[in-house]
Amino acid sequence: MVVHSHVFFLTREPFSVPVARRRVRARIVGWGVLLDEDARLALDTVTSELVANAVQHSDQPILTVAVYASVRLRRALVEVCDGSTMLPRSRRAGTDAENGRGLELVEHLALAYGAERTACGKRVWAELALPEQPVTRRQLLAVPRRAVRAALRILPRPGRSPIRPPHEPGSSRPRTAA
């Protein structure tokens, strides 16, 4: 099973949030993963929240961002490491509060998420679902049984016409040829 991975570093500045979002998305798309609108929105939002929290709460000048993806498992993992040992915690934001909803967003958009202390600070991560990917020609040739199953899905079933006859107006039964 192939798991793609990429690690990059960012300075702990607010402008690093959109940079991280673009780089994570570009890397996943660069691996040949097709993202639908929901997956792209979830990936962008989760990446933004993880990096923004690290920018706001860390005291180290450099952040480490890692992204992993398995097309076969339809999963992506985004993690952010920073120098702070304080683990993030969810809080209830007031109705007029301008922040405090980040982890709640991550919780709703991710399949799983978590945080743990490391030797050099902490690691905060989130696992996201990737959309089903179309079967490529290479995959079909590599696994002949998959090619046969795909062809059988396309072919009509025995005893069943691939074209259904039109219905007569006012009748619920199909018209048969004489």
Side-chain angles (χ1 to χ4, degrees):
M1 172 176 41
V2 176
V3 176
H4 301 282
S5 65
H6 181 69
V7 177
F8 59 95
F9 303 97
L10 297 169
T11 58
R12 191 180 61 85
E13 299 290 337
F15 67 79
S16 292
V17 175
V19 171
R21 188 173 48 239
R22 284 191 302 269
R23 288 187 70 180
V24 166
R25 185 180 344 121
R27 183 53 63 175
I28 288 180
V29 170
W31 290 326
V33 176
L34 299 176
L35 296 174
D36 60 14
E37 189 63 27
D38 292 338
R40 187 199 59 76
L41 180 64
L43 183 67
D44 287 353
T45 303
V46 167
T47 302
S48 295
E49 291 302 328
L50 296 182
V51 174
N53 283 346
V55 166
Q56 184 176 2
H57 299 291
S58 176
D59 55 0
Q60 298 297 313
I62 300 294
L63 306 175
T64 305
V65 179
V67 59
Y68 306 91
S70 171
V71 178
R72 185 167 167 242
L73 295 177
R74 295 177 40 206
R75 298 287 187 265
L77 178 74
V78 178
E79 66 180 32
V80 177
C81 299
D82 64 43
S84 173
T85 57
M86 183 186 292
L87 296 177
R89 52 182 208 274
S90 293
R91 57 184 182 172
R92 294 285 178 215
T95 55
D96 295 334
E98 293 183 14
N99 55 20
R101 295 176 183 83
L103 283 179
E104 191 173 337
L105 283 171
V106 171
E107 179 182 350
H108 286 6
L109 294 172
L111 297 170
Y113 74 101
E116 59 195 20
R117 288 185 178 90
T118 64
C120 54
K122 72 172 174 291
R123 177 178 83 99
V124 182
W125 58 270
E127 183 180 359
L128 300 157
L130 295 174
E132 188 169 340
Q133 302 295 303
V135 178
T136 65
R137 184 179 210 171
R138 175 185 276 173
Q139 290 169 324
L140 288 175
L141 294 174
V143 184
R145 283 181 284 171
R146 184 181 288 178
V148 170
R149 278 187 256 134
L152 289 175
R153 280 195 302 265
I154 295 170
L155 295 174
R157 293 185 190 159
R160 203 183 241 189
S161 172
I163 302 173
R164 296 185 184 263
H167 295 285
E168 291 181 12
S171 170
S172 62
R173 294 179 49 193
R175 186 173 61 184
T176 57

